[in-house]
Amino acid sequence: MAGEQVEKRVKYKSSVKDPGTPGFLRIKEGMLLFVPNDPKSDSKLKVQTQNITQKFTKEGSNKPPWLNLTIKQLLGRSHIFEFENYPDMHACRDFITALGKSDEEPKKAAVLTSTEQLSIKELEIRFKLLRENSELQRLHKQFVESKVLTEDEFWATRKKLLGKDSIRKSKQQLGLKSMMVSGIKPSTDGRTNRVTFNLTPEIIFQIFAEKPAVRQAFINYVPSKMTEKDFWTKYFRAEYLYSTKNTAVAAAEAAEDEELAVFLKPDEILARETRQKIRRVDPTLDMEADEGDDYSHLMDHGIQRDGTMDVVEPQNDQFKRSLLQDLNRHAAVVLEGRSIDVDSEDTRIVAEALTRVKQVSKGDGETTKDANQERLERMSRVAGMEDLQAPQNFPLAPLSIKDPRDYFESQQGNVVNVPGVAKGLKRNVHEAYGLLKESIVEIRATGLSDPLIKPEVSFEVFSSLTRTISTAKNIIGKNPRECFLDRLPKSTKDEVLHHWTSIQELPRHFWSSYPITTPYLHTKVGKLKDAMSNTYSKLDAMKESVQSDLRHQVSLLVRPMQQALDAAFQHYEADLQRRTAKSSGGERPNGYV
Amino acid sequence: MIFKIEDVTVYFPYDNIYPEQYEYMVELKRTLDAKGHCLLEMPTGTGKTIALLSLITSYRLSRPDSPIKLVYCTRTVHEMEKTLAELKVLHDYQVLHLGTQAKILAIGLSSRKNLCVNTKVLAAENRDSVDAACRKRTASWVRALSTEKPNIELCDYFENYEKAAENALLPPGVYTLEDLRAFGKNRGWCPYFLARHMVQFANVIVYSYQYLLDPKVAGIISKELQKESVVVFDEAHNIDNVCIEALSVSVRRVTLEGANRNLNKINHEIDRFKANDAGRLLAEYNRLVEGLALRGDLSGGDQWLANPALPHDILKEAVPGNIRRAEHFVHVLRRLLQYLGVRLDTENVEKESPVSFVSSLNSQAGIEQKTLKFCYDRLQSLMLTLEITDTDEFLPIQTVCDFATLVGTYARGFSIIIEPYDERMPHIPDPILQLSCHDASLAIKPVFDRFQSVVITSGTLSPIDLYPRLLSFTPVVSRSFKMSMTRDCICPMVLTRGSDQLPVSTKFDMRSDPGVVRNYGKLLVEMVSIVPDGVVCFFVSYSYMDGIIATWNETGILKEIMQQKLVFIETQDVVETTLALDNYRRACDCGRGAVFFSVARGKVAEGIDFDRHYGRLVVMYGVPFQYTLSKILLARLEYLRDTFQIKEGDFLTFDALRQAAQCVGRVIRSKADYGMMIFADKRYSRHDKRSKLPGWILSHLRDAHLNLSTDMAIHIAREFLRKMAQPYDKTGTMGRKTLLTQEDLEKMAETAVQDMAY
C-alpha cells in the first residue's frame, strides 16, 4: 500500500451549512490532505487517518455526494467533503476503509506505482504548481487523469520546476498575512451556547509570535499539566474576557485560576523585549529620549486640564489591554516575518523553535556596536538634502535584456518559454529535422545503441519547434501586440496553444521511453502513441474548421507540430517493424523485450 | 559651494542651493548685523536648518575678533539629533575648505537619562529616579562620607571626571548624544557633567527649549551664556504654549499628601541634625541672612533646579526672617498646605487672580507675599543642608514651593482655577488647583533681554504678525517666504463629502455619526489601495481615534485596510509609539507599505517627519480645535482679548489650523519629494478657516479641490501620483529657477553690484 493514494476534486465544508471550499483531497497512507484551490484560503487541512469513522450520503438520495469523516483523536471534529460524483466518493471511501485494515495486510509490492515515498512537502509543491499554472493543470488533467501518463512520469520531466521551487523557498520565506488573529471569529451552531474555534498552524504561529507569554505557558503546561485542547480553551476564555472589557470579572477569574491569570496578565517577556528594542531605535525618532529630557512636565507642572490633553483612563489596571496595542504588536510581528524554518504540525516544536530564535536575537543584542555604527551612517546619509547634491551613485546591476520582445514574451506568462534562444543555436527547422532523420537512419543502420537518440538532437527538435511557434506569433504582425494569434477566434487560439503544449509534453515522454527495455515502457509507448495520433487528428480537424483566410497561417502554425508528431510516428513504426522482425527471428538480445 | 553674501563668505555643503534658502540667509545676516531679533517663516522641505547653520557658522568665521555663539533650541531630542547630523555634514565641509581654523565645538545637551553611561544608574525606571540615583553617587557629601565608609557606592565615571578636573575637555568636533556617550565611556568620564561643563566653551549648543525657557532648568544650564549669542528657536510655531506651560503649576490632593509626608521626613532630618551636627543648620542660617547670592558657592554637581522666579533682585534680597530657621520654614509650609487643602475642598469651580489669592492667604494663614516668593529657594537651601539625595521622593513639596513662589512673584498674567472634577468626567471627584500662566511673554522675556539676537523660525508661523504680539517683542526682520516649486509636488485637497455625498466632519454633533465614521473609513480604504508606501492619518484627539478605530475594527474596515498595508498606531505609551514608528519606517523601507494613525497635538505630530516614502499621503481627519469648555482655555482667551485684543474665535481657529498645517506639513523634505494632503472635514471649505493655512499650502490648493467627495479625491490622487512618477528637470523650467548653482549666484551678485553702480 505504500505510496498508493487517491486524489479527487472536492469541496471542503467545515459544517453542513458551509458553502464549501473547492480544492483537492488527497488520501494516502496515514495522511489525509486537503489543499484548497485558492491559495489564500485558510481552510487547508491535514489530518492523520487513524481512527476515522465515516458517514456518507447514499447514491440515489437527493443529496449531493458527501463524505463525512470524523477523526476521533482530534476532538471529534468532523470534516465534510462534497465530491463531484458518486464514484469518486466511493473510491475515497473504499480507500479509507482499506487504509483502516492495511495495518494487518501484508504490503504488496506495487509494480506500476513508483515506490518513491512522496513527502507531504513535495505533494504540496506539486499542488501549488498546478494551482498556479492553469496550463499545467490542464495538461495534468488531460494526461494523468486519462491514464496516458502516471503521476510520477508527469512530474519526472518537471524535476527542475520542483527543484527550483524548493530552492526559491529556502531563499525567500513566505511572509505572514496582515490579517489579525483576533479576526478569527468562533463559529456557533446556533442552538447551544457552545462556540468552536478553528485553529490552524498559521494561527497558532501568530499567537505564539505575538504573545510570548502564551508561548511560554504552552511550553510549561502542555502536556504535563493540561492537554493541548484544555490549553486553547483556556486561552480563548481569556480572550473572551478581554473582549467583554469587564476588568472586574477578569480580575476575579484570574484570582481563582492561576493558569488563566497567565493569559490575562501583561506580558512580561514582551516588556523585556521592548526595553531591549528601544535601545536600538533610530535616534531621530526616539521619543522616549524626549520624555527623559522634558523638565517642564515634572510632576504637576505644566498645564493639566486645558483640553489639549485627553482624559486618560487609568492605565495601571493590569487586566486592561487595548486594541491599539494589539494592532501595533501584530504589525510588528508581521513585519518581522516568519523567523523560524519549522514547518511542523506539532505545536510544541513551533513554540520551542520560536523561543530559541528569540534567545539568539537577544544574544545579538550584545553586539550592538556594528548596528550602532550602521545606524549613525544611515542617519548622516539621510541628513543630506537629496536634490541639492550630486546624485549618489549606488551600485546598479545592469538590466540585460537583449531583445525586448523576449522580455515581454516571458512576462506574458508561461505559455511561451523560449529555451533555445539563450544557447544561440541558429539552426532552422529543416536542419533540425535533418539531424533527427539522420540519427534515425543511423539507428536503423546500426540497430539500437545507448543512448538511442543523441540528446542534442532531441533538444534541437524541441527548440526549433518552440521557436517556430513563438516567432509565428510575432512575425506575422509587425507589432507584437497585433500578433497573429490574436486574430484567431479565441477558442481556436486556445486550442492551438493547448495542442502546442501537449505536443511539447507527449513526444518528450515518447522519446524518453526509448530504448524500450521493459514491458512497462512498451505499454507506455503504446499509450503515448495513441494519445499523439489523437492529437494529430484533432489538429487536422482544427485546420479544416478555421476560416479560409486564416487557414494558411494556421496550417503554418500547425505544420511543425505535425512534423514533430510525424517524426515520432515514423520512429515508432520503424521500431515496431524492427522488433517484430527480430522477435520472429527468435533472437532476443539480452535485456531487450 | 562657497559664495558671498555682502561681506560674509558662506560655506554651504551642497553643490546647489534653493533661491529661498539664499534669501533666508540674506535676511538672517541682516538680523545678525542689526543685533536684533527676527521672525522667519519658511515652508518645510526647503532646508531651513542647514541654511541657518551654514550662515551663522560662516558669520562666525568672518568675524574672528568677536566670535558669536549659537544656541540652537529644538522641540525634541530627536530633532536635536537631526540638527547635529546636519551640522556634522556642514562642519566636515568647512574643515575641508578652511582647514583647522574652521573647527568648532558643537554639543547636544540633554538630561542624565539620555547621557548617563553608568549601567546601575540607567537601570532606574524614569528620569526622576535616574537623576536621584545619580545624585546618590555624586553629591559632595556622599563623596566626602565615602572616604570614611568605603562601602558607599560612587560613580566611577564621575570620580574620573573630577580627578581630571580642568583637563577634562572635549576636543573640537560635533557631538551628538551618542557621540558624547561613546566619548565618555572611552575616557571613563561622565558625559553628562562633561557636557554641562563644556557649555561655556562650546561654539554651538543644541538643546531643548526648556533649557532656556523653563526657569527651573534655565538657571543652572544657561546662566553662563554670554550676551553675544544667537538664540534660535526652530519649529517655533508652538512657542507660546511652551512658554505658558513652563510657568504653570497645579496642585492635587495627592500632591498635598505627598508634601505632608515630605515635611515629616524633613522634620525628622532636622531633629537628627540638631542632635548630631547643629553647626550645619547654624551655618545655613548665617548664609541666609547674607542673602541667596552666595548660592554660587555650592559646587556645580550639587545644584538642581534653580529659582523659577526670574527677577534678579531676588538674589540680592535677604531671605525674610520668619523662614530663616529650618523649623520655622517647615511650619510656614505646613500652614500653606493646610490652606491649600481647604481650598481644594470646593464644590464649585472657582477662578481667582493671584493678587486676591495672596491676600486671602495672608489673612487666613498669615503668610505674606514676600515669604511666598522665597519658598522655592529656601527649600533648595534646606535640602542641600540636610543632604537629601533622593530628590525624586521630594517632588511634591517642590511642586508646592514652585507654586508658592510663582504666586508670590507675578501679580498679572496668571489665574488660579480650582476645579472639583474634570468636567468630561463629572462622576469622578478629582479636585485640582491650577495656577495657569496666560502670558507667553513672561517666560521668554529674559531670553529677549539677555541675548543679542533671537531667531524664531518655523514652517508655519501664519499669521506672522500675531507672534510678536503674543511674545511681546519687536523683530527687526519679519518675513514669510514662499516656496518656489519645480513642479507641483504637493497636492492639498479638501474633502467635504463621502462617496454617498453625505458631509463629513468632526464637529461635535456629527463626529460619532455612523455615516461619518464609515465615510472616513472608506476614504482610507480606497486611498491605501492606490497610494504607495507610507500613509499617515491624524485624528483630532486620542479618544476620538480610539473610538473610530474600534468602530472600524467591528465593521471590518480595518481588515480591508490591513489587506493593503500594515497598521501602526500612536498610543499614549511613548515607548510603544517609538517602536511603532520604527516599525512603520521599516515597513515603508521594505516596500510593504504601512499606515500610521496619529493624533494632532500629539508627540508624533510635533516632531516626527514623514518625508519621502515615509509619507506620500497625509489625511487630517477633522479640525483639531482645542476643547473649548476648558476653564483654563477660557481664562486664557479672556486674557488675550483684554490684553492683545485678539478675538476668541480668531485665536481658536488660528490655533487649530496651525496644528493642522503642522501635521500635513511633514510630508515634504525637499523639492524632489512629493506628497498629498487631504483635509477631511467640510469646515475646511469655508474661507475663514482655510485662509489661516500657511501660504505655501494655500497656493497649491486649487479651487477645484475645495469641495471634493471621496471618489473625486481618489481620481485626483491617481492623476497626481502618475504625474509625480514622470522624470522632470530639477533646475526648474520656464525661466523660473528653483535650484541655483554657484554660477547663478555669482551672476546674481554681479547684477546687484551693477544695480548699485547705476
Side-chain angles (χ1 to χ4, degrees):
Chain A
M1 291 290 290
E4 198 170 311
Q5 55 187 25
V6 172
E7 187 203 322
K8 298 288 178 221
R9 288 161 175 280
V10 292
K11 275 186 184 170
Y12 168 62
K13 298 157 174 289
S14 53
S15 68
V16 183
K17 296 251 166 60
D18 192 4
T21 325
F24 287 95
L25 173 69
R26 183 172 281 224
I27 309 168
K28 46 188 255 121
E29 193 181 31
M31 193 63 70
L32 186 144
L33 184 73
F34 172 75
V35 185
N37 283 344
D38 178 9
K40 277 181 269 177
S41 164
D42 49 26
S43 55
K44 205 157 122 187
L45 184 75
K46 212 171 354 173
V47 285
Q48 308 281 324
T49 51
Q50 278 96 13
N51 303 323
I52 293 183
T53 52
Q54 33 183 336
K55 283 184 247 164
F56 48 90
T57 48
K58 290 258 162 38
E59 203 165 351
S61 66
N62 289 333
K63 289 190 178 153
W66 282 1
L67 183 64
N68 185 346
L69 302 178
T70 312
I71 290 113
K72 280 171 202 150
Q73 99 233 57
L74 247 182
L75 336 173
R77 268 191 59 195
S78 62
H79 308 279
I80 302 172
F81 298 100
E82 182 181 330
F83 289 87
E84 285 178 332
N85 47 35
Y86 275 98
D88 273 2
M89 188 196 80
H90 290 308
C92 275
R93 194 195 65 198
D94 295 344
F95 190 78
I96 293 171
T97 322
L99 274 180
K101 293 172 193 151
S102 70
D103 291 343
E104 299 97 58
E105 282 178 18
K107 283 183 180 166
K108 268 196 290 176
V111 186
L112 288 178
T113 52
S114 114
T115 48
E116 190 189 351
Q117 187 72 43
L118 282 174
S119 66
I120 296 292
K121 217 176 190 171
E122 255 174 276
L123 275 180
E124 272 173 8
I125 294 172
R126 286 180 184 184
F127 276 129
K128 205 174 135 232
L129 283 170
L130 283 181
R131 257 197 328 266
E132 284 168 358
N133 189 343
S134 62
E135 197 69 36
L136 204 62
Q137 199 178 357
R138 248 173 97 182
L139 275 180
H140 185 259
K141 206 173 162 188
Q142 186 183 354
F143 296 126
V144 179
E145 285 172 20
S146 64
K147 302 256 162 54
V148 174
L149 293 171
T150 66
E151 178 88 22
D152 288 326
E153 280 165 5
F154 182 77
W155 287 111
T157 55
R158 290 184 169 72
K159 279 241 165 71
K160 212 168 132 204
L161 220 52
L162 295 172
K164 212 170 37 181
D165 205 59
S166 64
I167 290 164
R168 196 173 64 196
K169 203 176 162 200
S170 66
K171 240 193 238 162
Q172 189 176 9
Q173 289 188 337
L174 211 60
L176 294 173
K177 282 180 206 151
S178 304
M179 207 187 77
M180 286 271 280
V181 167
S182 64
I184 55 162
K185 290 274 180 290
S187 55
T188 47
D189 56 4
R191 266 168 286 171
T192 55
N193 279 332
R194 254 176 97 95
V195 292
T196 323
F197 286 93
N198 289 337
L199 276 178
T200 64
E202 179 93 356
I203 294 176
I204 291 177
F205 175 83
Q206 281 210 8
I207 293 175
F208 280 163
E210 285 175 30
K211 297 167 185 162
V214 175
R215 187 181 71 213
Q216 197 54 46
F218 187 91
I219 293 175
N220 291 345
Y221 295 151
V222 180
S224 56
K225 265 177 106 172
M226 55 174 93
T227 65
E228 192 173 341
K229 188 188 164 188
D230 288 343
F231 179 84
W232 291 118
T233 314
K234 250 198 183 111
Y235 170 77
F236 281 110
R237 171 86 192 140
E239 286 298 295
Y240 168 74
L241 285 174
Y242 271 131
S243 65
T244 56
K245 295 193 177 117
N246 191 342
T247 49
V249 174
E253 292 221 11
E256 276 171 28
D257 187 342
E258 63 175 283
E259 282 113 32
L260 190 70
V262 171
F263 299 132
L264 292 170
K265 265 192 280 188
D267 199 328
E268 271 166 35
I269 304 175
L270 207 58
R272 225 179 304 138
E273 269 177 35
T274 311
R275 271 199 292 279
Q276 209 128 45
K277 275 188 200 150
I278 195 84
R279 285 189 205 143
R280 274 178 274 169
V281 99
D282 187 341
T284 54
L285 36 81
D286 189 354
M287 294 196 295
E288 204 236 354
D290 237 30
E291 188 127 288
D293 203 24
D294 185 2
Y295 276 99
S296 61
H297 288 97
L298 274 176
M299 180 191 176
D300 288 334
H301 286 75
I303 291 174
Q304 306 286 322
R305 270 187 209 160
D306 69 341
T308 49
M309 298 298 264
D310 277 290
V311 187
V312 187
E313 285 177 41
Q315 284 285 321
N316 50 10
D317 197 337
Q318 64 159 340
F319 297 108
K320 201 129 194 172
R321 193 185 60 188
S322 69
L323 170 68
L324 307 190
Q325 279 171 324
D326 281 354
L327 281 169
N328 277 336
R329 176 71 194 148
H330 168 73
V333 166
V334 170
L335 197 61
E336 230 164 68
R338 191 176 270 273
S339 50
I340 54 165
D341 203 13
V342 180
D343 198 15
S344 172
E345 284 301 287
D346 191 342
T347 321
R348 194 180 169 83
I349 292 175
V350 174
E352 278 167 354
L354 266 174
T355 314
R356 253 194 324 274
V357 168
K358 289 285 166 219
Q359 268 158 5
V360 169
S361 66
K362 212 176 280 172
D364 291 347
E366 310 287 301
T367 57
T368 48
K369 265 251 162 83
D370 291 343
N372 257 340
Q373 195 58 37
E374 193 208 294
R375 208 173 61 185
L376 290 177
E377 270 168 26
R378 218 185 100 201
M379 227 177 95
S380 61
R381 209 169 52 229
V382 173
M385 295 193 57
E386 44 188 347
D387 60 339
L388 291 184
Q389 52 198 336
Q392 283 174 331
N393 286 320
F394 289 111
L396 291 175
L399 262 182
S400 62
I401 304 170
K402 274 157 204 143
D403 181 1
R405 239 177 9 207
D406 290 349
Y407 174 73
F408 288 111
E409 298 282 73
S410 67
Q411 295 298 298
Q412 269 169 18
N414 302 325
V415 183
V416 183
N417 82 48
V418 194
V421 176
K423 295 264 177 179
L425 290 174
K426 294 274 183 221
R427 290 204 180 95
N428 63 22
V429 191
H430 297 286
E431 267 178 295
Y433 286 108
L435 270 174
L436 182 63
K437 261 183 201 154
E438 233 171 73
S439 61
I440 291 171
V441 171
E442 204 181 328
I443 290 162
R444 235 181 241 162
T446 57
L448 287 168
S449 66
D450 202 28
L452 188 67
I453 294 187
K454 285 181 195 153
E456 311 91 72
V457 177
S458 43
F459 177 70
E460 280 292 291
V461 174
F462 267 105
S463 55
S464 65
L465 241 181
T466 322
R467 225 177 313 142
T468 334
I469 193 150
S470 63
T471 46
K473 247 180 118 174
N474 304 317
I475 288 165
I476 295 155
K478 278 276 181 271
N479 185 345
R481 277 190 201 169
E482 287 174 31
C483 95
F484 164 70
L485 277 173
D486 288 341
R487 278 161 50 201
L488 290 173
K490 195 177 177 312
S491 59
T492 326
K493 179 183 159 191
D494 288 349
E495 213 177 332
V496 170
L497 287 175
H498 177 64
H499 283 309
W500 173 59
T501 43
S502 57
I503 284 170
Q504 273 195 318
E505 180 72 19
L506 288 171
R508 196 191 325 221
H509 288 284
F510 178 79
W511 292 112
S512 69
S513 350
Y514 282 92
I516 299 169
T517 49
T518 59
Y520 169 66
L521 280 180
H522 185 74
T523 47
K524 183 185 167 190
V525 168
K527 272 194 289 187
L528 284 170
K529 196 231 147 200
D530 291 344
M532 285 195 293
S533 48
N534 199 0
T535 319
Y536 195 93
S537 52
K538 271 189 197 155
L539 280 175
D540 274 340
M542 191 183 71
K543 258 202 299 194
E544 298 304 311
S545 66
V546 290
Q547 286 166 13
S548 54
D549 56 331
L550 296 173
R551 195 170 296 155
H552 174 63
Q553 299 294 356
V554 172
S555 62
L556 270 185
L557 269 181
V558 167
R559 199 193 301 149
M561 304 187 204
Q562 289 186 326
Q563 277 173 339
L565 293 176
D566 281 337
F569 293 147
Q570 233 173 5
H571 181 73
Y572 179 78
E573 296 298 331
D575 189 55
L576 202 67
Q577 271 172 22
R578 201 161 38 77
R579 268 189 306 143
T580 41
K582 270 191 185 165
S583 58
S584 62
E587 269 182 62
R588 295 176 93 192
N590 195 20
Y592 288 87
V593 183
Chain B
M1 64 201 297
I2 300 163
F3 53 89
K4 287 198 96 121
I5 293 179
E6 290 155 25
D7 55 336
V8 174
T9 314
V10 178
Y11 296 85
F12 190 72
Y14 300 111
D15 299 336
N16 299 298
I17 188 170
Y18 294 143
E20 45 275 69
Q21 279 179 319
Y22 182 77
E23 285 175 55
Y24 188 88
M25 288 190 194
V26 172
E27 297 293 349
L28 202 57
K29 183 190 173 271
R30 289 190 185 140
T31 313
L32 295 186
D33 283 344
K35 297 194 196 306
H37 313 313
C38 74
L39 196 62
L40 297 170
E41 182 190 33
M42 186 153 90
T44 47
T46 43
K48 265 192 307 289
T49 311
I50 190 66
L52 216 147
L53 291 172
S54 167
L55 184 93
I56 295 177
T57 48
S58 303
Y59 194 89
R60 193 187 79 87
L61 287 171
S62 71
R63 308 258 193 293
D65 43 321
S66 62
I68 52 166
K69 190 175 193 139
L70 171 60
V71 181
Y72 194 101
C73 300
T74 60
R75 291 282 286 123
T76 56
V77 173
H78 48 264
E79 277 173 20
M80 180 195 300
E81 297 271 7
K82 260 190 301 195
T83 308
L84 285 166
E86 292 200 50
L87 187 59
K88 252 187 196 168
V89 175
L90 175 68
H91 184 241
D92 289 348
Y93 184 80
Q94 287 179 339
V95 169
L96 183 77
H97 283 271
L98 280 173
T100 45
Q101 59 145 324
K103 281 206 166 173
I104 54 168
L105 176 64
I107 53 169
L109 189 62
S110 182
S111 63
R112 289 183 174 89
K113 174 116 200 310
N114 293 335
L115 279 175
C116 184
V117 285
N118 188 329
T119 42
K120 279 186 192 142
V121 175
L122 272 181
E125 278 282 308
N126 54 35
R127 180 204 47 230
D128 300 326
S129 16
V130 169
D131 285 355
C134 178
R135 287 198 188 103
K136 232 172 244 168
R137 290 170 173 80
T138 56
S140 56
W141 56 86
V142 174
R143 296 176 59 228
L145 200 64
S146 75
T147 50
E148 296 157 26
K149 292 184 195 165
N151 58 345
I152 288 181
E153 194 191 317
L154 298 175
C155 175
D156 292 338
Y157 293 104
F158 185 74
E159 293 303 310
N160 286 336
Y161 165 75
E162 282 286 292
K163 252 177 239 153
E166 290 305 303
N167 297 325
L169 292 174
L170 272 173
V174 179
Y175 293 88
T176 61
L177 298 185
E178 177 68 47
D179 296 334
L180 279 174
R181 279 197 298 267
F183 181 84
K185 233 179 199 166
N186 203 6
R187 287 294 188 83
W189 294 342
C190 173
Y192 173 73
F193 285 101
L194 180 63
R196 269 185 46 180
H197 178 60
M198 293 313 288
V199 162
Q200 46 185 314
F201 307 108
N203 307 104
V204 180
I205 306 159
V206 185
Y207 57 34
S208 166
Y209 274 30
Q210 43 197 319
Y211 285 80
L212 265 188
L213 292 180
D214 194 331
K216 296 192 287 295
V217 205
I220 334 159
I221 307 288
S222 309
K223 65 167 187 266
E224 282 163 22
L225 300 178
Q226 63 265 39
K227 178 157 177 58
E228 290 76 32
S229 300
V230 180
V231 177
V232 176
F233 290 104
D234 197 5
E235 304 289 347
H237 45 274
N238 272 339
I239 193 167
D240 51 329
N241 290 337
V242 179
C243 289
I244 62 171
E245 283 215 55
L247 293 184
S248 297
V249 187
S250 52
V251 176
R252 289 162 190 271
R253 228 177 250 303
V254 279
T255 324
L256 294 182
E257 283 159 15
N260 263 321
R261 274 198 303 278
N262 293 157
L263 285 185
N264 291 342
K265 196 156 180 200
I266 288 175
N267 251 341
H268 184 77
E269 288 291 309
I270 292 172
D271 290 345
R272 199 169 59 88
F273 268 89
K274 264 192 191 153
N276 301 337
D277 193 3
R280 281 192 68 96
L281 288 170
L282 196 66
E284 187 203 21
Y285 180 85
N286 291 333
R287 209 170 65 228
L288 293 172
V289 174
E290 288 164 37
L292 282 169
L294 291 177
R295 273 194 316 163
D297 291 348
L298 297 163
S299 64
D302 292 344
Q303 293 184 13
W304 31 52
L305 306 176
N307 190 351
L310 294 156
H312 282 282
D313 55 330
I314 199 164
L315 295 178
K316 293 172 198 122
E317 277 179 69
V319 171
N322 60 346
I323 54 170
R324 275 184 210 157
R325 289 185 68 106
E327 52 274 55
H328 291 169
F329 178 56
V330 171
H331 279 301
V332 167
L333 286 181
R334 288 253 193 242
R335 288 210 300 280
L336 177 66
L337 290 181
Q338 208 175 4
Y339 177 76
L340 291 176
V342 172
R343 293 300 304 264
L344 272 180
D345 262 339
T346 176
E347 296 281 306
N348 309 307
V349 177
E350 290 174 26
K351 191 178 157 231
E352 212 173 341
S353 74
V355 178
S356 77
F357 185 85
V358 169
S359 71
S360 74
L361 187 61
N362 195 5
S363 61
Q364 292 185 29
I367 306 172
E368 286 170 19
Q369 179 249 345
K370 197 180 173 203
T371 314
L372 284 175
K373 202 157 110 180
F374 279 91
C375 273
Y376 188 87
D377 285 281
R378 183 64 193 91
L379 180 72
Q380 298 310 322
S381 166
L382 182 62
M383 282 172 73
L384 284 178
T385 313
L386 297 179
E387 301 180 348
I388 291 168
T389 50
D390 38 0
T391 42
D392 54 332
E393 285 175 26
F394 285 84
L395 277 176
I397 190 69
Q398 293 182 48
T399 306
V400 172
C401 287
D402 278 355
F403 171 81
T405 306
L406 284 170
V407 159
T409 311
Y410 294 105
R412 53 182 297 282
F414 282 81
S415 54
I416 289 158
I417 294 164
I418 308 168
E419 283 180 288
Y421 48 76
D422 192 317
E423 60 243 60
R424 279 174 290 184
M425 290 197 293
H427 51 286
I428 303 169
D430 178 22
I432 186 167
L433 187 150
Q434 305 172 91
L435 173 73
S436 81
C437 173
H438 304 313
D439 193 344
S441 63
L442 291 177
I444 205 170
K445 187 169 177 290
V447 179
F448 283 129
D449 291 347
R450 239 175 93 193
F451 298 107
Q452 78 174 36
S453 285
V454 177
V455 179
I456 291 179
T457 185
S458 171
T460 42
L461 287 177
S462 312
I464 201 160
D465 53 327
L466 189 61
Y467 283 86
R469 275 153 83 197
L470 286 177
L471 303 176
S472 67
F473 74 109
T474 33
V476 292
V477 173
S478 161
R479 249 195 93 173
S480 175
F481 295 91
K482 287 272 174 303
M483 193 173 183
S484 64
M485 293 281 192
T486 316
R487 50 177 183 168
D488 288 333
C489 65
I490 60 169
C491 177
M493 295 180 241
V494 175
L495 183 117
T496 55
R497 294 161 284 148
S499 289
D500 52 6
Q501 305 304 324
L502 288 176
V504 290
S505 175
T506 55
K507 248 166 90 173
F508 196 72
D509 51 344
M510 281 179 76
R511 61 165 62 174
S512 44
D513 180 345
V516 172
V517 172
R518 192 188 55 240
N519 273 329
Y520 275 156
K522 287 284 177 217
L523 168 71
L524 190 58
V525 169
E526 298 272 340
M527 281 296 172
V528 290
S529 66
I530 60 163
V531 179
D533 299 324
V535 175
V536 194
C537 302
F538 287 99
F539 296 88
V540 287
S541 68
Y542 276 113
S543 48
Y544 183 62
M545 178 172 81
D546 222 13
I548 204 167
I549 289 176
T551 318
W552 286 354
N553 187 37
E554 281 155 23
T555 50
I557 287 176
L558 201 61
K559 212 164 133 191
E560 282 179 67
I561 295 170
M562 284 169 99
Q563 273 171 1
Q564 304 288 343
K565 290 185 193 300
L566 287 174
V567 171
F568 294 97
I569 305 170
E570 173 180 7
T571 63
Q572 291 178 327
D573 179 355
V574 205
V575 176
E576 198 187 325
T577 309
T578 305
L579 288 180
L581 270 172
D582 196 44
N583 284 326
Y584 170 79
R585 286 215 167 162
R586 278 196 289 135
C588 292
D589 284 337
C590 77
R592 184 147 191 160
V595 188
F596 196 86
F597 291 132
S598 182
V599 175
R601 293 170 196 280
K603 288 212 160 61
V604 172
E606 224 163 59
I608 303 292
D609 284 340
F610 293 101
D611 52 333
R612 295 173 296 138
H613 60 293
Y614 298 132
R616 288 303 184 204
L617 166 71
V618 185
V619 186
M620 177 75 234
Y621 285 115
V623 187
F625 278 114
Q626 291 195 55
Y627 177 66
T628 41
L629 296 179
S630 149
K631 295 285 176 307
I632 291 189
L633 182 61
L634 292 176
R636 187 175 178 206
L637 289 174
E638 195 183 313
Y639 181 81
L640 287 174
R641 193 189 57 214
D642 296 347
T643 331
F644 302 115
Q645 287 77 48
I646 299 170
K647 275 190 226 143
E648 284 101 329
D650 280 354
F651 182 80
L652 286 175
T653 314
F654 150 76
D655 184 66
L657 268 292
R658 73 171 161 182
Q659 298 302 339
Q662 185 54 27
C663 294
V664 299
R666 309 223 140 248
V667 276
I668 296 284
R669 183 181 166 80
S670 69
K671 290 180 183 178
D673 198 2
Y674 62 90
M676 293 182 287
M677 309 158 174
I678 295 181
F679 296 94
D681 194 305
K682 64 170 183 180
R683 287 173 288 176
Y684 284 110
S685 65
R686 280 168 49 185
H687 182 262
D688 63 320
K689 300 275 183 303
R690 198 179 64 229
S691 59
K692 298 270 192 323
L693 286 172
W696 60 277
I697 294 181
L698 275 183
S699 62
H700 284 86
L701 187 56
R702 287 195 237 142
D703 288 344
H705 294 178
L706 284 181
N707 187 8
L708 299 174
S709 63
T710 303
D711 42 347
M712 290 152 84
I714 297 293
H715 178 73
I716 292 168
R718 278 218 179 90
E719 291 285 304
F720 174 76
L721 288 169
R722 199 171 58 210
K723 210 164 72 192
M724 287 300 115
Q726 313 304 321
Y728 72 103
D729 183 9
K730 274 204 298 187
T731 54
T733 45
M734 294 177 291
R736 232 171 7 123
K737 283 263 177 199
T738 54
L739 202 61
L740 304 178
T741 59
Q742 182 103 37
E743 281 172 33
D744 294 330
L745 284 178
E746 276 160 17
K747 237 182 264 167
M748 274 167 69
E750 262 172 45
T751 47
V753 170
Q754 278 166 2
D755 285 349
M756 272 202 268
Y758 295 116

